[in-house]
Amino acid sequence: MKLYDGVIMVDSHVHIREFKSFEFLESYLKVYSLNKVNIVSLACKDENQIMQNILSALFKMKHPGHVYAYGSLMYPYYPLDDKIPGDYNFVDQVKILMDIGFDGMKMLEGKPTLRKKIGISLNSSIYDDYYSYLEKQGIPIIFHAADPETFWDKDTAPEFSFEHGWFYGDGTFPEKEDIYSEIEGILSKFPKLRVTFAHFYFLSNHIERAAAILDKFENVSFDITPGREMYDNFSKKPSEWKEFFTKYQDRIIFGTDMEDSMFQGRPQDIINTIRKFLETDDKFNNWGFEINGLALDKDVIDKIYYKNFESYAGKVPKKINVEKLLDECRKIREIAMKNNSLIEYVQEINRVIDMVKQTNTLRG
């Protein structure tokens, strides 16, 4: 079956690692005729990611109107102490990011590796003011929570999970159901949070459970960013999943997880795989298994490709406040200068500052 002509696509889930990512993402926008992309920052990952937010903002500034950015929290140290709140300032961090011109927040804190590193539950009272602020302000979140259940079982875990440190069956990581319980605790306290759970919330093998989440929480959605296992699971029950995608057409969002170090294939392979799965009923092979397309209607496709994301982040990305961004760059530089393990980033932060000023001058 032929793909639809002239589709509008907004990739809601791409990453930027360092300066070399700029050229890749600029090419990605152009070559694949994407209308817009959303960079999701991973500043929360560890202290060596201190440039993630400012790099995301810089790239957004260089491509006004075509790039959204979701910032992420920075942690003063690990692990956190559930009894002593400390100087986390999560709400202040969000306010600063929104003032700079970010469009939402990215949370990787629910990935088992980071959840283990942080050392407290996702629904800890430490986060209450943060979630409350996001809920009241209507700030959207892309939340990575859990991972495929196979990653906890050495007999079913794929080889790449061991290669990337994503095997969780040694007893030191939280269980998948524990993470789900923590997320349920968050949503029970803050039911109006505007959350998109990345990678279909790792429920592609549990259609009834996925439906129950969407039925219970009106502002929750799932993105279909691979997780390759997702498309294997979908393809085992194509008629049931087509009915699901049609029923919940307002709650499903397109994304790719694209970055310049992709291990799941070339950009063309990933985009074509998702498009063929959504737009046709073809049977084809990728990632080592046969995929069975859903052949969704064009109006459903349009919602998944761009309308649903825009309902969260707005039809037009926010503008970058140059002075606020420069203030944040200087603050990050000061942090790096005081920490021997981060001193290597000072020169790169200065480069960001120079590029912000140059871009601002050019846009005059």
Side-chain angles (χ1 to χ4, degrees):
M1 184 182 292
K2 185 180 178 182
L3 297 174
Y4 291 117
D5 292 326
V7 293
I8 296 172
M9 301 181 75
V10 176
D11 190 340
S12 71
H13 194 136
V14 306
H15 294 288
I16 195 165
R17 298 289 181 178
E18 50 192 335
F19 275 110
K20 71 175 185 178
S21 302
F22 280 39
E23 184 177 352
F24 170 82
L25 285 177
E26 285 165 353
S27 174
Y28 179 58
L29 263 168
K30 181 178 180 181
V31 171
Y32 299 100
S33 301
L34 292 162
N35 295 75
K36 289 171 284 203
V37 298
N38 180 39
I39 299 173
V40 293
S41 169
L42 300 178
C44 59
K45 196 171 183 181
D46 55 55
E47 64 178 5
N48 292 327
Q49 304 296 326
I50 62 169
M51 292 185 60
Q52 279 272 301
N53 285 334
I54 59 176
L55 281 173
S56 300
L58 172 59
F59 189 81
K60 178 180 182 178
M61 182 181 175
K62 289 171 67 67
H63 300 277
H66 295 284
V67 176
Y68 298 87
Y70 279 30
S72 58
L73 298 173
M74 295 179 65
Y75 291 79
Y77 54 85
Y78 295 106
L80 303 189
D81 189 325
D82 201 9
K83 297 179 181 178
I84 305 173
D87 189 23
Y88 305 129
N89 295 320
F90 291 149
V91 172
D92 289 344
Q93 286 191 51
V94 176
K95 290 179 179 179
I96 289 169
L97 291 171
M98 295 304 110
D99 285 346
I100 289 171
F102 282 82
D103 303 280
M105 295 296 295
K106 161 68 175 181
M107 294 193 71
L108 190 67
E109 284 88 336
K111 188 172 179 67
T113 47
L114 189 55
R115 168 63 183 80
K116 174 183 174 180
K117 189 174 185 178
I118 290 173
I120 62 167
S121 64
L122 299 169
N123 63 326
S124 163
S125 60
I126 284 177
Y127 290 112
D128 280 357
D129 288 345
Y130 166 73
Y131 292 131
S132 177
Y133 184 78
L134 294 178
E135 183 182 48
K136 290 176 181 177
Q137 298 298 316
I139 297 170
I141 315 157
I142 294 178
F143 207 138
H144 183 124
D147 256 346
E149 54 259 34
T150 56
F151 289 12
W152 277 265
D153 185 339
K154 67 179 180 180
D155 295 325
T156 60
E159 184 177 344
F160 70 82
S161 68
F162 294 97
E163 295 171 354
H164 290 269
W166 300 338
F167 172 66
Y168 312 128
D170 65 0
T172 68
F173 293 90
E175 296 294 329
K176 184 179 184 184
E177 287 303 323
D178 292 337
I179 293 174
Y180 283 155
S181 178
E182 292 174 11
I183 293 295
E184 185 81 13
I186 295 168
L187 294 176
S188 295
K189 286 192 285 186
F190 308 100
K192 301 295 186 182
L193 276 174
R194 303 176 68 225
V195 183
T196 299
F197 287 110
H199 312 293
F200 211 78
Y201 201 26
F202 302 101
L203 290 177
S204 59
N205 206 26
H206 305 278
I207 191 167
E208 295 84 4
R209 191 170 183 178
I213 292 288
L214 297 181
D215 289 341
K216 186 173 183 180
F217 299 106
E218 62 182 317
N219 289 335
V220 165
S221 65
F222 301 147
D223 80 25
I224 53 171
T225 301
R228 62 183 71 175
E229 86 291 335
M230 178 195 310
Y231 291 89
D232 188 18
N233 291 332
F234 287 153
S235 297
K236 292 173 182 175
K237 297 180 178 180
S239 59
E240 291 94 332
W241 280 113
K242 179 172 183 176
E243 182 179 348
F244 181 100
F245 273 58
T246 301
K247 179 178 180 179
Y248 297 104
Q249 60 188 266
D250 298 317
R251 317 285 289 281
I252 301 170
I253 296 175
F254 167 72
T256 64
D257 220 4
M258 195 64 64
E259 59 175 286
D260 52 354
S261 59
M262 285 296 292
F263 71 94
Q264 301 199 83
R266 299 174 301 167
Q268 182 179 0
D269 295 332
I270 295 168
I271 290 177
N272 284 349
T273 294
I274 297 174
R275 289 199 63 185
K276 287 173 69 175
F277 169 74
L278 294 174
E279 298 177 36
T280 80
D281 58 4
D282 293 352
K283 294 182 179 180
F284 58 100
N285 292 308
N286 195 15
W287 297 316
F289 50 81
E290 184 177 77
I291 297 174
N292 194 325
L294 302 186
L296 299 173
D297 293 339
K298 179 62 163 55
D299 58 343
V300 177
I301 292 291
D302 286 340
K303 290 181 179 179
I304 293 172
Y305 280 163
Y306 75 99
K307 290 182 179 179
N308 292 342
F309 175 74
E310 288 182 348
S311 74
Y312 279 88
K315 292 185 177 180
V316 180
K318 290 168 59 180
K319 293 182 179 180
I320 291 294
N321 183 313
V322 176
E323 291 306 317
K324 296 288 186 181
L325 175 54
L326 288 173
D327 287 344
E328 183 69 4
C329 290
R330 296 181 187 111
K331 184 180 75 177
I332 299 300
R333 182 175 61 186
E334 184 177 350
I335 292 171
M337 291 176 69
K338 292 180 178 179
N339 189 325
N340 288 336
S341 66
L342 301 176
I343 196 72
E344 63 184 281
Y345 294 101
V346 171
Q347 185 175 351
E348 292 293 275
I349 297 167
N350 284 334
R351 184 180 174 190
V352 173
I353 291 172
D354 289 342
M355 291 182 70
V356 168
K357 291 178 178 179
Q358 291 168 9
T359 303
N360 187 49
T361 300
L362 289 172
R363 302 218 177 270

